[in-house]
Amino acid sequence: CMNYGLIPGMKKAEAIQILGGSISKAAEEVGSSYQAVDKWPELLPTRIADRVTAAFARKCDREKRRNEFWTVLRGIAPKATHG
């Protein structure tokens, strides 16, 4: 995950992109409906930009934990032998 932080003047298209690339994925990440996200203005007000930033941070945290999980599993998995 890239470090977006709070983006002043965040645009709707940018928010949708960082939350998964579609209105449905963005809605799921912020805990809203497709229709609500679809009605966001092109320039997001601070209250929506804050929600997007928080959702993005949670998304990054999930991805980091998933990567750490797989790293641990790879370390304890038996190695395949060819013989």
Side-chain angles (χ1 to χ4, degrees):
C1 277
M2 294 173 58
N3 185 13
Y4 276 89
L6 180 59
I7 301 171
M10 184 185 294
K11 295 180 180 162
K12 176 181 177 177
E14 294 168 338
I16 291 169
Q17 187 61 42
I18 67 172
L19 293 177
S22 71
I23 292 175
S24 0
K25 287 181 183 177
E28 183 179 334
E29 291 291 341
V30 296
S32 192
S33 69
Y34 178 99
Q35 292 80 3
V37 172
D38 193 42
K39 291 180 183 178
W40 284 353
E42 290 308 311
L43 185 60
L44 300 182
T46 303
R47 67 182 174 77
I48 295 176
D50 287 348
R51 288 182 68 190
V52 169
T53 301
F56 183 68
R58 288 189 300 272
K59 181 179 180 225
C60 288
D61 186 52
R62 283 192 312 270
E63 289 175 10
K64 179 182 175 197
R65 284 184 280 131
R66 185 176 322 131
N67 290 339
E68 289 170 354
F69 172 78
W70 285 111
T71 299
V72 168
L73 278 185
R74 284 186 202 105
I76 62 174
K79 304 289 183 215
T81 57
H82 297 88

